[in-house]
């Protein structure tokens, strides 16, 4: 049996199945990227809920795995060379899992880099900007009388949705017929924008029919439906 005891994170979140990939996460747009990827690939894993309401992301155990105190993070007992691999940053984890499983990434080198390009588009644009819309629309941003910050992020969110809309014209997914990690990275954020953040009307989502079409196809996937709920939040 694989011994993960040298990793401090397993002291707070013990591995019941140490031979499986360990996922430390929360069902947020960034967190579910990895649970959806794992569900899509069928790779055995064990999820652990990192409770932000208990400030667990700031615990010494979690920081030993991710010094940036963000979810998701993984500990793969069967990493390169058969050695355990700790890894954080959702985009890096998606790339790693695609390479590990040989799934959800085009084999052709040019298309591989094109997929990475759209993954980075999500990481650098959609995630941060949509998150700011959520802050200024649903959370503490409502306390600000000056609406210029909110309007700035709404305008940028609309611009980014326009980029997606154009890209998806005549395409089933971001890479055409190929469903890839670029989609797994992107659509949880779009889903969160119009769902949890309740900002669909604010950004004019009805004006982006291709975006709505692909979002509907994404959330209809069984692996996505499962992954969106992993790790399961505790009952209120």
């Amino acid at each position: 049996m694989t011994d993960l005891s040298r990793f401090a994170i397993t002291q707070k979140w013990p591995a019941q199945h140490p031979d499986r990939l360990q996922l430390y996460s929360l069902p947020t747009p960034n967190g579910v990227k990895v649970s959806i990827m794992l569900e899509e690939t069928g790779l055995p894993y064990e999820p652990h809920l990192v409770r932000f309401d208990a400030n667990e992301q700031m615990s010494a155990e979690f920081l030993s795995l991710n010094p940036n105190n963000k979810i998701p993070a993984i500990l793969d007992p069967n990493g390169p060379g058969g050695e355990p691999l700790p890894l954080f940053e959702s985009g890096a984890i998606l790339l790693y899992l695609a390479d590990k499983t040989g799934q959800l990434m085009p084999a052709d080198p040019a298309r591989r880099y094109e997929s990475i390009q759209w993954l980075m588009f999500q990481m650098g644009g959609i995630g941060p900007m949509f998150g700011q819309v959520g802050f200024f629309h649903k959370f503490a941003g409502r306390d600000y009388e000056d609406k210029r910050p909110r309007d700035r992020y709404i305008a940028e969110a609309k611009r980014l949705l326009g980029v997606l809309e154009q890209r998806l014209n005549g395409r089933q997914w971001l890479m055409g017929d190929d469903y890839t990690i670029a989609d797994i990275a992107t659509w949880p954020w779009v889903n969160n924008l119009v769902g949890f953040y309740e900002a669909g009307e604010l950004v004019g989502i009805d004006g982006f029919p291709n975006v709505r079409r692909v979002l509907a196809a994404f959330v209809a996937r069984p692996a996505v439906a499962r992954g969106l709920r992993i790790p399961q939040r505790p009952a209120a």
Side-chain angles (χ1 to χ4, degrees):
M1 180 177 289
T2 306
D3 183 11
L4 298 177
S5 62
R6 66 185 175 92
F7 293 93
I9 195 164
T10 63
Q11 298 171 15
K12 189 172 182 66
W13 291 275
Q16 300 301 314
H17 303 280
D19 55 323
R20 301 179 187 177
L21 184 145
Q22 305 294 304
L23 169 64
Y24 308 92
S25 192
L26 190 69
T28 67
N30 280 335
V32 299
K33 293 177 192 175
V34 178
S35 55
I36 290 170
M37 179 70 175
L38 289 165
E39 289 292 322
E40 291 279 11
T41 62
L43 192 67
Y45 71 103
E46 181 178 350
H48 302 277
L49 180 71
V50 180
R51 295 188 59 163
F52 278 28
D53 60 342
N55 219 30
E56 289 183 335
Q57 77 277 14
M58 298 302 298
S59 66
E61 293 86 354
F62 188 79
L63 291 172
S64 71
L65 184 60
N66 184 359
N68 195 35
N69 66 271
K70 304 293 183 183
I71 58 93
I74 65 169
L75 175 56
D76 185 359
N78 302 300
E83 293 296 318
L85 176 70
L87 198 62
F88 65 88
E89 281 296 331
S90 60
I93 296 171
L94 290 179
L95 285 167
Y96 170 70
L97 294 176
D99 287 344
K100 179 182 177 71
T101 63
Q103 299 182 50
L104 300 168
M105 177 67 88
D108 175 73
R111 286 183 59 77
R112 172 184 169 85
Y113 280 108
E114 189 178 357
S115 300
I116 294 173
Q117 157 187 278
W118 286 102
L119 171 64
M120 297 303 153
F121 171 76
Q122 183 281 308
M123 298 293 294
I126 284 180
M129 296 301 105
F130 286 13
Q132 293 290 352
V133 171
F135 174 82
F136 282 102
H137 176 59
K138 183 164 185 174
F139 299 112
R142 289 185 173 181
D143 297 332
Y144 290 86
E145 292 184 9
D146 187 347
K147 299 305 179 187
R148 285 176 296 178
R150 188 202 69 166
D151 293 346
R152 171 184 173 87
Y153 291 117
I154 291 171
E156 181 63 2
K158 289 180 178 179
R159 189 190 70 80
L160 292 168
L161 287 167
V163 174
L164 288 177
E165 180 71 16
Q166 183 177 19
R167 172 67 180 180
L168 293 167
N169 191 32
R171 290 183 173 90
Q172 182 178 2
W173 301 103
L174 286 169
M175 289 298 297
D177 292 336
D178 294 331
Y179 173 75
T180 70
I181 61 173
D183 296 292
I184 292 175
T186 300
W187 298 109
W189 274 104
V190 180
N191 187 52
N192 210 63
L193 180 71
V194 300
F196 181 69
Y197 289 160
E198 302 172 343
E201 184 177 351
L202 200 65
V203 299
I205 195 66
D206 288 344
F208 303 101
N210 287 326
V211 171
R212 291 189 291 110
R213 166 181 57 83
V214 179
L215 175 60
F218 178 74
V219 298
R221 296 178 68 90
V224 172
R226 294 191 301 270
L228 287 171
R229 300 190 298 269
I230 299 173
Q232 186 173 357
R233 293 181 183 270

